[in-house]
């Protein structure tokens, strides 16, 4: 089974989530006796989804919206993605700010027929931010910190892997 985990990120924190999802999905597949190859790629660098059996698409969220690279990926490959099992995640809420669903994520989930969407907390490190981003963080009074819930991220990755394993085992039995 070949799985693509593709991600749009600005400072790398969302890519770390994607890598964790890939690792835990792979572990779940291995535990179920299903051989897998999982690739983590930047959404802007993907030229084809041919040959993949499933896709996980993730994006960092800024100002309540996904990054353009994730939205463009979904639009570019919409027909191919609708024929595959697809899961979607967003990363962004930080500090005490509410975890609202990103404005364009719900539409993407619906258009792709995704099997699920998860919203994970993000990470703030002022040293990695550009000036406008630092100004926004200061205006919102967000403290530096890692707000990602790693146990939930790993659990979701395992859930994806287990779901794909059941599909693969059922498909090979017929």
């Amino acid at each position: 089974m070949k799985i693509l985990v593709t991600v749009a990120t600005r400072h790398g924190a969302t890519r770390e989530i994607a890598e964790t999802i890939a690792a835990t999905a792979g572990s779940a597949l291995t535990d179920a006796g299903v051989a897998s190859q999982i690739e983590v790629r930047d959404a802007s660098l993907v030229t084809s989804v041919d040959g993949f059996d499933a896709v996980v698409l993730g994006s960092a969220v800024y100002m309540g919206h996904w990054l353009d690279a994730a939205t463009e990926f979904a639009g570019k490959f919409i027909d191919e993605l609708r024929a595959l099992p697809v899961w979607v995640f967003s990363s962004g809420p930080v500090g005490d700010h509410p975890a609202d669903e990103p404005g364009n994520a719900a539409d993407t989930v619906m258009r792709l027929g995704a099997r699920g969407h998860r919203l994970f907390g993000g990470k703030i490190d002022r040293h990695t931010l550009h000036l406008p981003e630092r100004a926004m963080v200061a205006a919102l009074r967000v403290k530096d910190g890692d707000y990602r819930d790693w146990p939930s991220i790993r659990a979701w990755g395992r859930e994806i892997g287990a779901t794909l394993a059941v599909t693969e085992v059922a498909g090979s039995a017929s």
Side-chain angles (χ1 to χ4, degrees), residues 94 122-125 143-148:
V94 291
K123 178 181 174 183
I124 293 290
D125 177 357
K143 295 179 182 174
D144 281 14
D146 190 343
Y147 300 94
R148 297 170 293 181

Side-chain angles (χ1 to χ4, degrees), residues 132-146:
E133 294 167 327
R134 284 195 310 267
M136 179 62 67
V137 167
L140 293 174
R141 296 188 174 130
V142 176
K143 295 179 182 174
D144 281 14
D146 190 343

Side-chain angles (χ1 to χ4, degrees), residues 43 57 71 73 103 123 163:
L57 169 60
T71 304
F73 171 88
K123 178 181 174 183
T163 299

